[in-house]
Amino acid sequence: MTQGLVLYGYWRSSAAYRVRIALNLKGLPYESRAVHLLRDGGEQHAAAYRALNPQELVPCLLDGGRAFTQSMAIIEYLDEAYPDGPRLLPAAARDRARVRALAQAVACDVHPLGNLRVLQALETRFGAGEAQRGEWMRHWIGAGFAALEAMLAGSPATGRHCHGDTPGLADACLVPQVYNALRWKLDLAPYPTVARIHAACNELEAFRAAAPEAQPDAPGSGK
Amino acid sequence: MTQGLVLYGYWRSSAAYRVRIALNLKGLPYESRAVHLLRDGGEQHAAAYRALNPQELVPCLLDGGRAFTQSMAIIEYLDEAYPDGPRLLPAAARDRARVRALAQAVACDVHPLGNLRVLQALETRFGAGEAQRGEWMRHWIGAGFAALEAMLAGSPATGRHCHGDTPGLADACLVPQVYNALRWKLDLAPYPTVARIHAACNELEAFRAAAPEAQPDAPGSGK
């Protein structure tokens, strides 16, 4: 049995990025193992990885040898199994529901539409070129951010972070999606609260250390 | 303030269907309000509904006048705010993580790719006809079910239902996705565990009463 926490991820995967943020916020040390999504037809499809995660997606977290999948489920697991660190979800049911809804507004309604495999399918099935794929990305991220902005700006529960003044599950989902949006050159001006929270998060070392470019498998990281 | 539970949904929405199952499993009575997704350009886009859910998606649950969105977040809220009924998530952190991962494998990685707005975008952006949209649906549901089948069939924690012998969050996500798969004429033979759990769930009145055709807004329901 592998002891301790091991994270299988990929530097630029939004979902892996979320879990890195959560591990850092909780102050939990972990071993990072890269799964290169583009090399050799995708290392996530190899039999050894598929045995850990039949979905053939990153991330996958090992805790004492047991495999956990799905980034939001992993983050809630970390919060429940390691309650001593800062809490990533608030205590009251209605507040927990709000944080989960914000996280899912990103993880269910924005991110899946821009996943690598979906962009590949748009190209092979419909001949979508780079310009069309860019429009597709900006359309869905823009629609998602417009809703997220309304959810955040319209609630007194929003603080320096998505829920109050401490970062948690929703921030761990928001920041990687903004990173992705910037990569696709989406103008963030219509989403000032989203942009403000993104900036506040990136002042924290837990978020900076989780950034794609800070990972050992990032091109040119020199690690 | 509206008292009690009010569910804004649409008979054929997978996400609303999930919440109906959860409400029934918990034995919680609720008032159902239909939001017709296709009438008048989509009633979910009307200002009155947008004030409840800025995402302009169903479902939305009112509890004592407070609005809750995102189906999985709503289901966990019901389980936490109404702990007296049957529990929809198990007690141990690792088991909760498994149930959430199964639910999210459907709700994050299958369902979003076949949402109404995505099919509409494939048609308007890429000219995808009915046959191509059908292939798109079967491709993603098939990929998702292959993974789900491996996750379920490969674990001793799977019982009559997704986790043990009582239905919960994962079953509430699985059943509407199978309903959707059958509508798109996906052959379920490669996914025997998924099909078996779907059948077991539909023997229960909580699932039967939540079915799309049993809703007052279903065409020809006569209610």
Side-chain angles (χ1 to χ4, degrees):
Chain A
M1 280 294 198
T2 310
Q3 293 304 310
L5 296 167
V6 178
L7 180 65
Y8 289 84
Y10 178 64
W11 65 287
R12 214 157 62 171
S13 153
S14 265
Y17 188 176
R18 291 175 200 151
V19 176
R20 293 194 300 262
I21 292 167
L23 285 160
N24 293 347
L25 286 171
K26 296 292 287 186
L28 295 168
Y30 65 97
E31 177 193 337
S32 184
R33 292 188 192 160
V35 179
H36 200 302
L37 302 188
L38 299 168
R39 189 185 294 153
D40 300 331
E43 292 178 354
Q44 73 276 25
H45 304 305
Y49 186 73
R50 206 168 54 227
L52 294 174
N53 184 2
Q55 287 204 275
E56 304 176 30
L57 297 169
V58 291
C60 175
L61 180 83
L62 297 188
D63 186 1
R66 182 185 287 266
F68 294 88
T69 64
Q70 287 290 340
S71 60
M72 289 188 297
I74 293 171
I75 293 172
E76 293 227 30
Y77 169 75
L78 291 171
D79 215 31
E80 294 177 357
Y82 298 92
D84 289 343
R87 299 309 297 256
L88 305 180
L89 280 96
R94 68 187 186 196
D95 295 331
R96 296 164 69 79
R98 177 175 184 265
V99 166
R100 288 186 181 122
L102 290 166
Q104 291 167 20
V106 170
C108 299
D109 291 323
V110 179
H111 174 248
L113 298 169
N115 222 337
L116 173 65
R117 59 184 191 153
V118 174
L119 293 177
Q120 288 172 337
L122 292 180
E123 188 175 5
T124 56
R125 286 171 182 264
F126 304 114
E130 195 174 337
Q132 282 179 302
R133 296 199 301 274
E135 284 166 22
W136 173 271
M137 291 299 296
R138 286 185 292 277
H139 172 75
W140 295 116
I141 302 174
F145 278 7
L148 200 60
E149 178 67 25
M151 293 164 83
L152 290 167
S155 169
T158 303
R160 179 169 170 82
H161 291 281
C162 286
H163 193 81
D165 294 328
T166 50
L169 171 66
D171 304 276
C173 291
L174 180 145
V175 166
Q177 191 62 62
V178 172
Y179 171 89
N180 197 250
L182 293 172
R183 195 180 141 213
W184 289 95
K185 304 195 188 310
L186 181 75
D187 177 14
L188 293 184
Y191 324 110
T193 313
V194 171
R196 172 179 68 70
I197 292 172
H198 173 254
C201 288
N202 278 336
E203 288 182 19
L204 304 175
E205 178 59 21
F207 285 82
R208 279 204 298 264
E213 284 71 19
Q215 304 317 303
D217 60 323
S221 82
K223 286 178 190 168
Chain B
M1 278 292 197
T2 311
Q3 293 304 310
L5 297 167
V6 178
L7 180 65
Y8 289 84
Y10 178 64
W11 65 287
R12 213 158 61 173
S13 154
S14 264
Y17 189 176
R18 291 175 200 151
V19 176
R20 292 194 300 262
I21 292 168
L23 285 160
N24 293 348
L25 286 171
K26 297 290 287 185
L28 294 167
Y30 66 97
E31 177 194 336
S32 184
R33 291 188 192 161
V35 178
H36 200 301
L37 302 188
L38 299 169
R39 190 185 293 153
D40 300 333
E43 291 178 354
Q44 73 276 26
H45 304 305
Y49 186 74
R50 204 167 57 227
L52 294 175
N53 185 1
Q55 286 203 276
E56 303 176 29
L57 296 169
V58 290
C60 174
L61 181 83
L62 297 187
D63 186 2
R66 182 185 288 265
F68 295 88
T69 64
Q70 287 289 341
S71 60
M72 290 187 298
I74 293 171
I75 293 172
E76 293 226 31
Y77 168 75
L78 291 172
D79 215 31
E80 294 177 357
Y82 298 92
D84 289 343
R87 300 309 297 257
L88 304 180
L89 280 95
R94 67 186 187 198
D95 295 330
R96 295 163 70 79
R98 176 174 184 264
V99 167
R100 288 186 181 121
L102 291 167
Q104 291 168 21
V106 170
C108 298
D109 292 322
V110 179
H111 174 248
L113 298 169
N115 221 337
L116 173 65
R117 58 183 192 156
V118 174
L119 293 178
Q120 287 171 338
L122 292 180
E123 187 175 4
T124 57
R125 285 172 182 265
F126 304 114
E130 196 176 337
Q132 282 179 302
R133 297 199 300 276
E135 284 166 21
W136 173 271
M137 292 298 296
R138 286 185 292 276
H139 172 75
W140 295 115
I141 302 174
F145 278 6
L148 201 60
E149 178 67 26
M151 293 165 83
L152 290 167
S155 168
T158 304
R160 179 168 171 82
H161 292 281
C162 286
H163 193 81
D165 294 328
T166 51
L169 172 66
D171 305 276
C173 291
L174 179 145
V175 166
Q177 191 62 63
V178 172
Y179 172 88
N180 196 250
L182 294 172
R183 196 179 139 212
W184 289 96
K185 304 195 188 310
L186 181 75
D187 177 12
L188 294 184
Y191 323 111
T193 312
V194 171
R196 172 179 69 70
I197 293 172
H198 173 254
C201 288
N202 278 336
E203 288 182 18
L204 303 175
E205 179 58 21
F207 285 82
R208 280 204 299 263
E213 284 71 19
Q215 305 316 304
D217 60 323
S221 82
K223 287 178 189 170

